[in-house]
Amino acid sequence: HGLALNLYLWLQAGGTASFVDGKQTEVVVHAQALARSEPGAPVMQFHAGAALLQAEDWRGAEASFVAAASAGRPLHPLVYLEALVDMYRRTGQRSQAVKYSVALVEMAKASSLGPPAGSASTSSTLGNPLERYTVHVALTKLLFGDHREVLRLADPGSDMPYAQACWNYARGMALISTGPQELAGTALAGCQQAVAEIKRTPARGYGRFPAAA
């Protein structure tokens, strides 16, 4: 456990500096060592995977995230799935990225981490899981040029302004390619309106996604 802790602390502190210095090999070596030292510890596996993702060691990152997801749930599994979506998008694996984007939405719908009954938001560090994670479907399909599929996605609603902003953005960008252009302008204006609404809202937790994104 002492070795794992030292490796974790190095990745948190020295890892960033190594990326700046162009020493990605050091990050990969330390992250792989962390993954080997704690095979049954999901949090350590997750952090190893995150470091390998940054270092573009795609196979190592995937192995660590899968190990983290199968080892237990001290971190919510939505976090693991989101990391996998990120990795598959970066590597151009469309089918896998779309598959896990959809899985995120389904798991978020069933999640117990949503806002309290009768509340539009929550102070949870995950925020409203459905609002945070539903955006990945539209953004993933937009990234891979599936514009007509983006246009078939339903409006998430004004009660989820972050999701609605991302939906309008994806829709607007898709309409720039497919037309009509005037509808693209309307969608992008809707994105701006949603962002303005978010900025008027008290701080909401979306993990690594800022509320005003």
Side-chain angles (χ1 to χ4, degrees), residues 94-117:
R94 178 192 174 281
S95 62
Q96 291 294 87
V98 171
K99 172 184 175 181
Y100 284 103
S101 294
V102 173
L104 271 171
V105 177
E106 295 305 312
M107 186 177 288
K109 287 179 179 177
S111 174
S112 61
L113 295 178

Side-chain angles (χ1 to χ4, degrees), residues 166-211:
C166 293
W167 176 79
N168 271 309
Y169 169 76
R171 186 174 179 82
M173 297 303 290
L175 285 166
I176 287 175
S177 295
T178 66
Q181 297 295 306
E182 58 271 21
L183 291 183
T186 300
L188 293 174
C191 175
Q192 291 180 313
Q193 292 173 0
V195 169
E197 176 60 29
I198 291 170
K199 290 180 177 179
R200 289 192 293 268
T201 304
R204 300 159 69 96
Y206 291 104
R208 65 193 179 94
F209 294 103

Side-chain angles (χ1 to χ4, degrees), residues 58-122:
W58 313 119
R59 290 184 181 278
E62 180 176 22
S64 289
F65 288 136
V66 170
S70 62
R73 289 190 174 188
L75 290 176
H76 198 275
L78 284 165
V79 178
Y80 302 132
L81 282 179
E82 184 178 50
L84 283 172
V85 169
D86 187 20
M87 185 197 68
Y88 289 130
R89 284 198 299 230
R90 292 188 189 207
T91 54
Q93 298 183 61
R94 178 192 174 281
S95 62
Q96 291 294 87
V98 171
K99 172 184 175 181
Y100 284 103
S101 294
V102 173
L104 271 171
V105 177
E106 295 305 312
M107 186 177 288
K109 287 179 179 177
S111 174
S112 61
L113 295 178
S119 172
S121 65
T122 175

Side-chain angles (χ1 to χ4, degrees), residues 10-22 27 54:
W10 185 93
L11 288 170
Q12 294 299 302
T16 301
S18 293
F19 278 120
V20 173
D21 295 338
V27 176
Q54 285 185 287

Side-chain angles (χ1 to χ4, degrees), residues 141-158:
K141 292 188 175 190
L142 177 65
L143 176 66
F144 289 103
D146 299 331
H147 299 134
R148 298 197 180 280
E149 290 189 27
V150 169
L151 297 176
R152 284 196 287 267
L153 296 174
D155 183 346
S158 59

